Amino acid sequence: MSQSGSLERVKAGGGAATLDYSSSLPDPARAGAGAWMSKGTRNRQKIIAAAWELYADLGIDNVRTEDVANACGLSASAINYHFRTKTQLLQAALRYSLDIIASARDLTEPADPVATLRHFARIHAGVDVKVRRVWSIWIQSWAHAAADEHTRLNLTAVYTEWLDMITGVILAGQRAGTIRTGNTVLMVKALSIFIDGLGVARSTQQMTVTDEEALSMLEEYLDAHILTSTHPQEEGT
């Protein structure tokens, strides 16, 4: 199977295609492993990784400073030293989700924009535990942002970074002639809204969307609105 944007298809049962990205995302607990860093930086990363998992699995409102301290093996005072408020820690957790997704497939400097875009979109349509945690953090943050200005400002700042990443991929594809030209800002916003909607539906299971249906919707959207007629075809299409 070629590496250029091809779906990792897993045959199961009746042979339906499934989304399997269990090894596509880096392990949050291993962030920065192998690289030298100061004790303060190392402790800060441990705090963020622990808070990220707790917020996603238990709910932001249900997690106390003591819970984060116990999970990362540090004291509550150490947590407060690095993050004076829960809002600051939540913003760090949001950005951590962004870092996890960005590092999954060279999102910041795509060698093959179309392959990167496909892979990235499919990660968001998947339902493995890391993807569920990413979506859990985002969904909870959206809910908080609806009624809290500080959360809204933090979310806007992080989401702007997310849009910048997508814009970089789109611009790279436009330069390569594989992604359509036109109103790039509108294209990025529309793609982000589509991915967000599909990701929310899949992660919350508010409606039944099978892997096969998710794949079809993603490919049809990209073909209809993003990719040029000369873009590399997906294997099997």
Side-chain angles (χ1 to χ4, degrees):
M1 181 176 292
S2 69
Q3 200 171 6
S4 60
S6 293
L7 164 68
E8 312 239 24
R9 292 182 181 270
V10 178
K11 297 297 183 179
T18 60
L19 292 167
D20 181 11
Y21 288 103
S22 58
S23 61
S24 296
L25 300 177
D27 187 343
R30 290 183 166 273
W36 183 92
M37 61 183 68
S38 68
K39 181 179 179 181
T41 300
R42 186 166 59 250
N43 285 344
R44 181 182 174 87
Q45 287 201 351
K46 288 171 64 177
I47 292 167
I48 295 171
W52 182 80
E53 291 193 13
L54 290 172
Y55 287 165
D57 295 346
L58 303 179
I60 294 169
D61 293 335
N62 298 323
V63 176
R64 305 167 304 164
T65 300
E66 291 77 8
D67 298 323
V68 178
N70 291 335
C72 66
L74 298 173
S75 65
S77 61
I79 308 299
N80 292 326
Y81 172 80
H82 288 281
F83 301 96
R84 299 183 63 182
T85 67
K86 190 171 185 176
T87 300
Q88 290 179 349
L89 184 52
L90 176 57
Q91 184 176 22
L94 274 169
R95 184 164 281 105
Y96 193 50
S97 288
L98 202 62
D99 291 341
I100 290 169
I101 294 299
S103 61
R105 180 71 177 268
D106 299 325
L107 186 59
T108 53
E109 296 181 7
D112 184 338
V114 172
T116 298
L117 191 61
R118 278 182 169 137
H119 183 83
F120 172 73
R122 285 164 180 161
I123 284 176
H124 278 67
V127 290
D128 72 34
V129 64
K130 295 189 187 76
V131 172
R132 283 190 182 279
R133 282 174 171 157
V134 168
W135 277 113
S136 176
I137 296 289
W138 280 106
I139 292 169
Q140 291 181 73
S141 297
W142 282 329
H144 278 238
D148 182 77
E149 183 177 1
H150 289 296
T151 303
R152 184 161 55 250
L153 291 173
N154 289 335
L155 185 60
T156 298
V158 177
Y159 203 81
T160 298
E161 294 182 32
W162 145 267
L163 293 177
D164 288 344
M165 289 182 184
I166 301 300
T167 300
V169 176
I170 295 296
L171 289 174
Q174 289 174 337
R175 290 192 294 269
T178 53
I179 290 180
R180 301 179 188 187
T181 57
N183 191 329
T184 301
V185 173
L186 188 61
M187 186 184 300
V188 169
K189 288 180 178 179
L191 176 60
S192 181
I193 290 171
F194 175 81
I195 292 175
D196 286 348
L198 181 57
V200 169
R202 292 274 287 173
S203 61
T204 63
Q205 300 180 355
Q206 66 187 48
M207 68 175 70
T208 301
V209 180
T210 67
D211 284 349
E212 194 73 41
E213 290 171 336
L215 290 172
S216 295
M217 285 188 279
L218 282 170
E219 202 60 38
E220 287 176 10
Y221 183 91
L222 293 176
D223 281 339
H225 302 286
I226 305 296
L227 306 180
T228 65
S229 59
T230 59
H231 72 273
Q233 289 293 312
E234 171 118 275
E235 186 174 314
T237 60

